[in-house]
Amino acid sequence: MASDPNGPLLLLNARLADGRQGVRILIRDGRIAALEEGAAPAGETAAAAVFDLAGDLVLPGLVDGHMHLDKTLMGLPWTPHAAEPDRSSRIANDERLLPTLPLSTEARAGHLIRRSVAHGTAHIRTHVDITPAFGLSALEGVLAAREAHAGAVTVQIVAFPQAGVMRHGPRAVVDLLDAAVRAGAELVGGLDPCEIDRDPRGQLDAIFGIAERRGVGVDIHLHEPGELGLFSLQEICARTTALGMQGRVTVSHGFCLGGIAESKQHAAAEMMAAAGVALATHGAGGATLPPVMLLRRAGVRVFCGNDNVRDTWSPYSTGDMLERAAIIGWRADLRHDPLLEELFAMATSEGAAALGITEYGLAPGRPATFFTLPAENIPDAIGAHPPRRLVFHAGRLVARDGAYCGPGQEPLKAG
């Protein structure tokens, strides 16, 4: 039956990840009012719109901790991939192709947001290109898409210098990044300080300077391999510690961690844990995978994201974080149930903590932000990643049977 946005909702016959079945979930004022086994008290059923889940598993909203909403080609007919494998070619392709597309950044980002929500994603961190070629135009489009879909998902924005920082002169990109933060970006980004700028001190001083001055976090793309990447990582950790920014800095990708000796992996993990620097990974198939479990055992926060979703950099991905978790688990050889449950945490609670989502999870009093699917447990949900049946955000039904029905534009089928 259709939900009443102004009244309580009751979900019956839910299955929870802890094994409980026949659970009822009462939602009132956008929050979980009750999460209990057994029949509902007298009067509760009559007061609420009712959904019978028929044993479907209920899981907390997924967190996509690394995305590029501004680059997506979602909403367009199939567009053949045109860039060469190197980053410089992909950057040049962005500058050539994106301004010619028949859909705006806002429209394309909206398509991807709705698709992600239909897959159960509740929170997104997106990197948005801030470059001399685009100025703040991509940011403006993503900000508009975020506003249009408020109430169905949260979107956190990183001002991302995709074309480098110092190579364009000492102030051009730095001033743009600062303006982006003032315009609404919550973090400042960076990119391969040695390889792209050939000036690691200049880039890191610039982006950490903005972060300190504006009171925002940092999320740096680090593709640099081996010892070169390790040097950049050491510099990032040193600045994080010196500025007291523990818990507010993320290294995205960190491919270098998968290409160094095990003894150095352990040392780097201990360094990151001490500095409070997190790692975001998408399990890139063409690069070395960071030792995610080694990092977690050392106390490093590791979380996951889809990265590029059918965009100018990659024709792959559907925006489904359970599918992404399956890819990462396959690459990391995570097979046993306890490891798959840790992997699920990397796609949910660990990402929520990294994004600063303070009220997260399935518990009375917390926002009713979760999804349902036909699965027995978390490992089954990751391994099969079946279609999502119902998706709620803060008590609002925002997707049903793969179709988006929240605020924004036209319904979109998940695929």
Side-chain angles (χ1 to χ4, degrees), residues 54-360:
D56 276 2
L57 181 65
V58 179
L59 296 174
L62 298 163
V63 180
D64 195 321
H66 188 108
M67 187 173 267
H68 291 268
L69 288 173
D70 58 321
K71 296 182 190 294
T72 190
L73 301 173
M74 287 290 183
L76 295 171
W78 179 259
T79 303
H81 186 70
E84 297 300 321
D86 60 281
R87 282 187 294 282
S88 61
S89 173
R90 292 168 179 170
I91 293 168
N93 184 59
D94 282 349
E95 295 178 358
R96 179 175 60 254
L97 177 64
L98 289 174
T100 72
L101 296 176
L103 286 182
S104 67
T105 301
E106 178 185 355
R108 291 181 288 105
H111 273 273
L112 181 49
I113 287 172
R114 294 191 294 278
R115 184 174 295 269
S116 298
V117 170
H119 285 306
T121 291
H123 307 287
I124 294 171
R125 174 182 286 182
T126 182
H127 297 252
V128 175
D129 286 6
I130 306 296
T131 68
F134 297 135
L136 301 184
S137 62
L139 174 66
E140 291 163 356
V142 173
L143 285 170
R146 175 168 75 177
E147 182 177 359
H149 296 85
V153 65
T154 71
V155 178
Q156 187 180 84
I157 297 173
V158 184
F160 176 41
Q162 175 69 87
V165 180
M166 309 309 294
R167 63 189 299 182
H168 301 283
R171 295 302 313 173
V173 175
V174 177
D175 289 345
L176 278 174
L177 292 172
D178 189 70
V181 171
R182 287 186 279 113
E186 289 89 354
L187 298 95
V188 60
L191 173 68
D192 297 334
C194 296
E195 280 193 340
I196 295 295
D197 278 340
R198 303 181 68 85
D199 183 3
R201 174 177 293 178
Q203 182 184 130
L204 296 178
D205 283 351
I207 63 177
F208 275 93
I210 295 170
E212 183 182 26
R213 184 166 64 254
R214 300 296 177 191
V216 298
V218 171
D219 191 329
I220 302 177
H221 281 64
L222 189 60
H223 310 95
E224 294 167 351
E227 297 290 339
L228 182 64
L230 180 58
F231 168 79
S232 293
L233 180 61
Q234 291 166 337
E235 291 298 303
I236 291 166
C237 289
R239 280 166 172 74
T240 301
T241 301
L243 295 174
M245 291 185 63
Q246 293 89 339
R248 297 171 57 201
V249 175
T250 297
V251 167
S252 285
H253 308 319
F255 298 143
C256 61
L257 290 164
I260 56 179
E262 185 177 355
S263 60
K264 291 189 176 183
Q265 289 178 338
H266 283 281
E270 292 172 3
M271 173 185 67
M272 292 178 69
V277 172
L279 177 84
T281 184
H282 73 294
T288 53
L289 182 71
V292 292
M293 302 313 293
L294 182 152
L295 292 165
R296 280 179 56 80
R297 299 295 179 263
V300 178
R301 171 159 285 133
V302 179
F303 61 103
C304 305
N306 271 297
D307 199 5
N308 303 103
V309 180
R310 191 179 164 186
D311 64 7
T312 53
W313 281 52
S314 172
Y316 298 109
S317 191
T318 64
D320 182 356
M321 279 301 299
L322 284 183
E323 178 184 69
R324 178 58 50 181
I327 292 170
I328 294 170
W330 177 72
R331 289 212 65 206
D333 199 28
L334 305 179
R335 298 172 184 266
H336 296 101
D337 282 10
L339 295 177
L340 290 170
E341 289 169 359
E342 285 194 65
L343 178 59
F344 182 73
M346 289 186 258
T348 54
S349 57
E350 291 296 291
L355 271 60
I357 308 298
T358 55
E359 292 187 296
Y360 181 83

